[in-house]
Amino acid sequence: MSRRGWVLFALMSVLWGIPYLLIKVAVENDISVPGVVFARTALGALVLLPLAVRTGGFDKVRKHWKPVLAFAALEVLGPWALLSDAERTLSSGMAGLLIAAVPIVGVLAARATGDSERLGPLRWAGLLLGLGGVAVLAAPQLDGGSAWAVAEVALVVVGYATAPLILARKLGDVPSLTMTTACLGIAALIYAVPAALTAPATLPPGRVLAALAVLGVASTAVAFVLFFELIREVGPTRAPVFTYVNPAVAVAAGVLFLGESLTWEIAAAFGLILCGSVLATLRPPKGRPVAVPEAVEVDTVKG
């Protein structure tokens, strides 16, 4: 990989590893779930809109409005609200690690929706390892009122894992930047009224406003632009590998900035999920049909 590719890879690992920290800062300071989602999507859409207009392709968005809406629901509308609500209970690092199961569930989702590719022993082992890591991580959280939060993150994982299937199978001819802008705009419109109704009575502290600004501009708008550049630089197969690094960034950010604990269970779970994700998403040997990676590897949002 070129030096430019490594720089883009490092930037993406950080930009999509820190949203869990930023969300935690917001929800712990009385910013409502609709408020967090609206701030993120509205800022992201405003930054991306000029680029999307220049790129064009909104006619294709209108032509495929049903799959676009389905993709938006599974990738943005539902997951970003559920994740924000879950982080009222779970630590930012815990949420980031649970989200790391997305590639594993993506393989299962593709398999369940018609993919005929044979998984093989290594990939099945990866699925079992990764799911074991999730179990190690989630089991202690099922007591003390955290069960619902874990269930919310599980729904986020399902959304993140199935949305790329729609993207790959129904939206291949829609420009990525234009579709992303449309999805963020739709979400902003839907959450605008709930956000206004639940807005805090006084202006939030500066650190909270900064967290929302970074979440919307850097971790959403800028991150999407850099992600598309990374795809151009290293190709769609290698680009999403940074998603394996995101959980480590999420845990490190939580420990450094929020004083969250780093236990042996977390370290063990991360190792299992990481190894499982790598094995479960291995590409088959040349000459065999490839279906799952195209669906899994266009995965875009991890926080």
Side-chain angles (χ1 to χ4, degrees):
M1 191 157 59
S2 66
R3 180 180 298 180
R4 184 172 184 268
W6 279 113
V7 170
L8 290 169
F9 182 93
L11 288 173
M12 288 307 308
S13 297
V14 173
L15 289 177
W16 275 345
I18 63 172
Y20 308 97
L21 167 68
L22 302 172
I23 292 170
K24 189 70 173 179
V25 170
V27 297
E28 281 192 336
N29 287 271
D30 298 326
I31 303 298
S32 68
V33 169
V36 173
V37 180
F38 173 74
R40 182 177 188 179
T41 54
L43 286 172
L46 286 174
V47 173
L48 292 179
L49 185 59
L51 297 174
V53 170
R54 187 169 60 185
T55 302
F58 281 105
D59 55 331
K60 293 183 178 180
V61 171
R62 289 191 295 270
K63 180 180 178 181
H64 299 285
W65 69 270
K66 287 184 179 179
V68 167
L69 190 58
F71 176 80
L74 291 171
E75 186 76 15
V76 177
L77 289 168
W80 290 1
L82 289 168
L83 186 60
S84 299
D85 190 59
E87 286 203 48
R88 294 180 181 276
T89 303
L90 300 178
S91 69
S92 62
M94 181 69 67
L97 282 175
L98 289 172
I99 293 295
V102 167
I104 296 166
V105 177
V107 172
L108 294 173
R111 183 82 173 174
T113 55
D115 173 56
S116 59
E117 183 184 345
R118 184 172 175 269
L119 294 182
L122 277 180
R123 297 183 72 186
W124 277 115
L127 291 172
L128 294 175
L129 270 179
L131 293 175
V134 172
V136 169
L137 198 63
Q141 304 298 319
L142 298 181
D143 295 327
S146 298
W148 173 243
V150 171
E152 287 181 307
V153 178
L155 290 175
V156 174
V157 169
V158 172
Y160 282 169
T162 54
L165 298 176
I166 298 174
L167 183 65
R169 297 172 182 178
K170 302 291 185 181
L171 299 170
D173 62 336
V174 180
S176 299
L177 185 61
T178 306
M179 187 187 63
T180 300
T181 305
C183 290
L184 294 176
I186 291 169
L189 289 174
I190 290 175
Y191 281 98
V193 173
L197 293 175
T198 57
T202 59
L203 189 68
R207 66 190 291 265
V208 178
L209 295 177
L212 292 173
V214 173
L215 184 63
V217 176
S219 291
T220 301
V222 174
F224 274 116
V225 173
L226 293 180
F227 181 61
F228 300 142
E229 288 298 314
L230 182 61
I231 290 175
R232 294 190 189 99
E233 183 70 20
V234 304
T237 298
R238 298 171 71 187
V241 174
F242 73 86
T243 58
Y244 298 141
V245 183
N246 289 356
V249 174
V251 171
V255 171
L256 290 174
F257 297 105
L258 298 177
E260 295 176 354
S261 60
L262 178 60
T263 64
W264 72 266
E265 290 95 342
I266 290 177
F270 174 65
L272 289 171
I273 294 171
L274 178 60
C275 292
S277 295
V278 173
L279 290 174
T281 54
L282 282 176
R283 297 183 70 87
K286 289 184 178 180
R288 295 174 64 181
V290 177
V292 174
E294 291 301 320
V296 174
E297 290 172 350
V298 291
D299 194 8
T300 52
V301 182
K302 291 296 170 292

